[in-house]
C-alpha cells in the first residue's frame, strides 16, 4: 500500500454531534454490530457540503473525511491511503465478473456507511464510498507469470502446474491459452523420475516435502534460485515401508505412483518385476534383524547409503564369519540391494576370524591362480614340442590341407572374374541369351 498527503481547504463544519445510544448490547446478534451502531455517525452528524459536480450521491452531499493536524505546520491535512487487495482464488474469466464484483463491493461500503470494522473493533478508518464513481478504485485481473521458464527447467526436473487451456476473455471463448499462475500463486517443481527427489530443500517453507516450491512475484517472474540450483538424486523409501508384503500392500510406494495415477495402466504390486521392490524382513532361518542403532526404519536413504542388519544372537557370525553384521546399499533405481527371498545369509557359529568378504576374496584368488597355472603348463608343452621338431607330423596334418584349400579358393576366384567363364554361364542365363542374339557382331560387348 502507499500513503499520500493532500491539503484541503479550511472549513467551519465539525462533527460535534453525540453518537446515538445503541441500547443494551444483549439486544444485538453480536458485539460487532452493537459496536458499529454505537460508534456510527449518521449522515446529518458528519461534516459535509453540497457540490453537484463532486458528489456521487443523489442529494449532492460531499462528506469530509477524518482530519488531523500536521505537527510541523499550520495547515490542516487529511490522509488518504490507497490499498491494493489481492483475492487469491483460481478464478477464470468465466467465474469472475468485474462489474458484479464492483456492485457487490459498493453495496458493502454503503451498508457500513464507509466505516471500517475489523476484529479489533477499529472504527477510526473510513472507506471512500465514491472511489468507483471517480474510477480511483479499479478491479482487474492480477498479473501472471509466463510459462516459458517452467518449460526450460534443468535436465531431470518437471513442474506440477496445470497445462489446461482456459479462455482469455468472456467476449471470445474460443480464444484460449495455457493456464498461467497469478501473482502470489505457487508452483511445485519436482524430479521427473519417481525414485528421485531434490538433493536439498531449503528454498520454501516446507523443508521435508522434497519439492521446490516457487512463487510468482509482482515482477511477473518466478523466484527460482539462480545459483546453487538443486539436483535430482536417487533415494530408497524408509525400510519400515518395505519391511514385509503386508506393509507394502497397504502403501503406494514411489515406483508405484505412475501406475496409481494413470487409470489406463493396471496397478502393479510392489514386488512385481516391473516395480522391483524386495521385502526387507529377513527369513526366520537367518537369525538376522534390522540394526536400529545404525538404521532408522522411518528414514529415507540416498543412493549409496547402507542399511544394517545384525544377528539377533550377537555371538554368532554371518556365514560363519567373524562379523555379526551385514549391510546392503540403496541402488540407483531406488531399490535396496538385499537378497531375494530364501537366499539371505545365515547367522552361524564363527569358524574363522576373517570377515566373509576376505574369505571370498582368497577363494577367488586361488581359483584364478589355478587357471593361470593350467594355461602355463599347456603352453609349456606346446613350445617344447616345437623346439624338438615336427614330432607329430604337423606338416602333413596342417600345412598341406591349408595349402589345398587356398588353391581351390584361388581357382574359384579366377572362374568368377570373366563373363564367359563356365561358372558365370551356369549362374547367368542372361549372358547366354544375349550372346545368341548378337552372334556375328564383333563390336558387341556384354555389360
Amino acid at each position: 500500500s502507499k500513503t499520500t498527503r493532500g491539503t484541503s481547504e479550511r472549513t467551519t463544519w465539525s462533527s460535534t454531534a453525540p453518537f446515538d445510544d445503541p441500547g443494551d448490547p444483549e439486544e444485538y446478534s453480536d458485539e460487532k454490530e452493537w459496536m458499529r451502531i454505537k460508534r456510527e455517525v449518521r449522515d446529518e452528524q458528519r461534516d459535509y457540503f453540497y457540490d453537484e459536480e463532486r458528489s456521487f450521491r443523489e442529494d449532492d452531499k460531499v462528506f469530509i473525511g477524518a482530519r488531523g493536524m500536521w505537527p510541523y505546520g499550520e495547515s490542516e491535512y487529511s490522509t488518504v491511503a490507497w490499498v491494493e487487495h489481492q483475492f487469491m482464488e483460481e478464478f477464470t474469466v468465466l467465474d469472475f465478473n468485474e462489474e458484479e464484483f464492483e456492485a457487490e463491493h459498493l453495496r458493502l461500503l454503503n451498508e457500513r456507511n464507509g466505516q471500517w470494522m475489523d476484529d479489533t473493533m477499529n472504527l477510526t478508518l473510513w472507506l471512500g464510498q465514491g472511489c468507483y464513481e471517480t474510477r480511483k478504485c479499479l478491479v482487474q485481473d492480477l498479473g501472471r507469470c509466463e510459462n516459458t521458464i517452467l518449460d526450460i527447467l534443468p535436465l531431470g526436473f518437471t513442474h506440477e502446474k496445470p497445462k489446461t487451456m482456459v479462455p482469455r476473455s468472456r467476449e471470445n471463448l474460443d480464444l484460449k491459452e495455457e493456464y498461467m499462475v497469478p501473482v502470489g500463486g505457487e508452483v511445485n517443481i519436482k524430479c521427473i523420475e519417481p525414485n528421485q527427489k531434490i538433493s536439498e530443500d531449503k528454498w520454501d517453507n516446507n523443508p521435508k516435502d522434497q519439492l521446490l516450491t516457487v512463487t510468482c512475484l509482482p515482477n511477473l517472474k518466478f523466484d527460482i534460485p539462480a545459483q546453487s540450483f538443486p539436483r535430482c538424486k536417487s533415494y530408497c523409501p524408509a525400510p519400515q515401508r518395505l519391511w514385509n508384503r503386508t506393509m507394502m500392500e497397504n502403501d503406494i510406494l514411489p515406483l508405484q505412483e505412475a501406475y496409481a495415477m494413470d487409470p489406463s495402466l493396471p496397478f502393479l504390486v510392489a514386488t512385481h518385476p516391473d516395480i522391483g521392490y524386495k521385502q526387507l524382513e529377513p527369513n526366520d532361518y537367518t537369525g538376522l534383524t534390522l540394526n536400529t542403532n545404525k538404521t532408522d526404519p522411518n528414514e529415507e536413504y540416498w543412493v549409496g547409503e547402507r542399511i544394517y542388519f545384525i544377528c539377533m544372537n550377537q555371538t554368532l557370525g554371518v556365514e560363519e564369519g567373524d562379523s555379526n553384521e551385514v549391510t546392503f546399499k540403496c541402488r540407483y533405481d531406488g531399490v535396496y540391494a538385499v537378497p531375494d527371498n530364501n537366499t539371505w545369509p545365515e547367522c552361524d557359529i564363527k569358524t574363522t576370524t576373517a570377515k566373509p568378504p576376505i574369505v571370498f576374496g582368497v577363494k577367488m584368488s586361488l581359483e584364478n591362480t589355478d587357471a593361470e597355472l593350467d594355461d602355463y603348463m599347456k603352453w609349456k608343452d606346446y613350445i617344447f614340442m616345437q623346439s624338438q621338431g615336427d614330432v607329430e607330423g604337423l606338416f602333413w596334418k596342417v600345412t598341406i590341407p591349408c595349402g589345398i584349400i587356398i588353391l581351390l579358393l584361388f581357382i574359384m576366384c579366377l572362374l568368377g572374374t570373366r563373363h564367359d567363364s563356365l561358372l558365370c554361364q551356369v549362374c547367368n542365363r542372361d549372358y547366354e541369351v544375349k550372346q545368341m542374339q548378337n552372334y556375328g557382331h564383333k563390336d558387341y560387348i556384354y555389360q
Side-chain angles (χ1 to χ4, degrees):
S1 64
K2 53 185 179 180
T3 304
T4 58
R5 290 188 294 110
T7 60
S8 61
E9 298 179 357
R10 291 180 179 272
T11 179
T12 57
W13 293 294
S14 61
S15 57
T16 58
F19 295 105
D20 291 344
D21 184 9
D24 189 358
E26 297 181 356
E27 299 178 1
Y28 296 88
S29 59
D30 55 19
E31 182 183 3
K32 183 178 293 187
E33 182 182 0
W34 178 78
M35 283 291 297
R36 180 181 294 115
I37 296 176
K38 179 180 179 180
R39 296 291 304 276
E40 185 176 17
V41 181
R42 306 299 180 187
D43 285 354
E44 61 273 9
Q45 297 173 335
R46 296 173 62 182
D47 294 338
Y48 63 89
F49 59 92
Y50 292 93
D51 191 323
E52 183 178 355
E53 295 181 357
R54 296 177 58 183
S55 176
F56 64 91
R57 296 165 56 106
E58 294 182 357
D59 55 8
D60 297 333
K61 289 182 179 179
V62 178
F63 291 92
I64 301 174
R67 292 202 168 200
M69 290 298 298
W70 184 248
Y72 303 104
E74 297 180 356
S75 301
E76 294 183 358
Y77 292 83
S78 61
T79 302
V80 180
W82 296 98
V83 183
E84 179 179 299
H85 299 271
Q86 295 184 357
F87 299 90
M88 273 307 303
E89 291 289 344
E90 295 299 336
F91 292 132
T92 65
V93 294
L94 299 180
D95 302 325
F96 183 78
N97 188 305
E98 297 178 5
E99 296 178 356
E100 294 177 358
F101 175 81
E102 182 176 311
E104 175 63 15
H105 194 198
L106 185 59
R107 183 190 67 80
L108 293 174
L109 287 174
N110 294 334
E111 180 182 280
R112 288 160 175 77
N113 202 16
Q115 288 181 301
W116 177 273
M117 173 67 77
D118 58 13
D119 294 337
T120 62
M121 303 302 176
N122 181 10
L123 288 169
T124 61
L125 293 178
W126 295 78
L127 301 177
Q129 295 168 264
C131 65
Y132 285 115
E133 297 291 338
T134 60
R135 306 315 299 168
K136 291 183 178 180
C137 292
L138 298 177
V139 181
Q140 59 187 9
D141 186 24
L142 289 173
R144 296 176 180 266
C145 290
E146 294 288 340
N147 297 321
T148 306
I149 188 64
L150 297 178
D151 295 332
I152 56 174
L153 293 172
L155 183 65
F157 285 90
T158 185
H159 58 82
E160 296 181 346
K161 183 190 75 67
K163 294 188 176 182
T164 55
M165 304 299 291
V166 296
R168 297 186 61 178
S169 65
R170 299 174 68 94
E171 291 75 19
N172 187 358
L173 299 180
D174 294 332
L175 183 61
K176 297 184 179 181
E177 63 181 358
E178 184 179 331
Y179 169 77
M180 293 188 294
V181 179
V183 172
E186 296 180 341
V187 176
N188 289 329
I189 297 177
K190 64 178 183 179
C191 297
I192 296 177
E193 298 298 329
N195 62 303
Q196 293 183 343
K197 59 184 180 182
I198 60 175
S199 56
E200 191 175 12
D201 189 2
K202 62 178 183 179
W203 290 274
D204 52 31
N205 297 326
N206 190 348
K208 296 184 178 181
D209 62 355
Q210 298 302 322
L211 296 172
L212 177 58
T213 304
V214 296
T215 306
C216 179
L217 302 177
N219 61 0
L220 305 185
K221 294 182 180 179
F222 290 102
D223 60 342
I224 296 178
Q227 298 179 352
S228 302
F229 196 88
R231 61 187 180 91
C232 287
K233 190 175 180 181
S234 298
Y235 76 102
C236 293
Q240 184 66 28
R241 301 175 65 184
L242 304 174
W243 188 244
N244 52 41
R245 291 181 178 272
T246 302
M247 297 293 294
M248 290 187 280
E249 289 174 357
N250 297 328
D251 196 356
I252 298 180
L253 299 166
L255 296 178
Q256 293 177 289
E257 291 179 357
Y259 297 91
M261 296 174 61
D262 191 347
S264 63
L265 297 176
F267 184 75
L268 302 180
V269 296
T271 54
H272 191 278
D274 292 341
I275 301 296
Y277 287 117
K278 296 181 181 180
Q279 174 180 308
L280 297 187
E281 183 180 18
N283 300 109
D284 294 337
Y285 68 85
T286 64
L288 290 169
T289 186
L290 190 68
N291 187 353
T292 55
N293 293 327
K294 295 184 177 181
T295 302
D296 187 348
N298 298 311
E299 182 180 348
E300 298 172 342
Y301 289 88
W302 295 110
V303 58
E305 292 184 332
R306 296 174 179 270
I307 56 175
Y308 293 79
F309 291 84
I310 192 171
C311 294
M312 290 183 282
N313 184 351
Q314 299 186 16
T315 62
L316 303 179
V318 178
E319 294 295 306
E320 302 179 356
D322 178 62
S323 175
N324 60 1
E325 191 176 64
V326 62
T327 64
F328 302 101
K329 284 185 177 182
C330 171
R331 299 191 317 210
Y332 181 80
D333 58 358
V335 178
Y336 292 104
V338 296
D340 294 329
N341 191 29
N342 295 322
T343 61
W344 282 70
E346 302 180 37
C347 294
D348 209 337
I349 299 175
K350 299 179 181 180
T351 59
T352 176
T353 58
K355 295 182 179 180
I358 297 177
V359 176
F360 178 76
V362 171
K363 290 181 179 179
M364 289 293 296
S365 178
L366 292 175
E367 292 177 359
N368 292 336
T369 303
D370 291 342
E372 292 176 358
L373 182 60
D374 291 341
D375 292 339
Y376 171 77
M377 296 304 296
K378 291 179 181 178
W379 281 105
K380 178 182 177 181
D381 294 340
Y382 176 75
I383 294 173
F384 175 77
M385 286 188 297
Q386 288 291 336
S387 64
Q388 298 298 319
D390 188 15
V391 296
E392 294 186 1
L394 296 178
F395 177 79
W396 296 103
K397 293 181 179 180
V398 178
T399 306
I400 296 300
C402 289
I404 294 174
I405 293 174
I406 293 174
L407 179 62
L408 292 175
L409 292 175
F410 180 72
I411 294 173
M412 293 291 291
C413 291
L414 292 178
L415 293 176
T417 55
R418 292 180 58 85
H419 297 301
D420 55 351
S421 66
L422 179 62
L423 182 61
C424 288
Q425 291 183 24
V426 171
C427 298
N428 188 3
R429 299 295 299 171
D430 179 68
Y431 173 78
E432 183 179 355
V433 172
K434 289 189 175 181
Q435 285 292 95
M436 294 175 61
Q437 293 175 348
N438 294 277
Y439 180 77
H441 297 81
K442 297 181 179 181
D443 56 346
Y444 169 73
I445 299 176
Y446 177 77
Q447 295 181 351

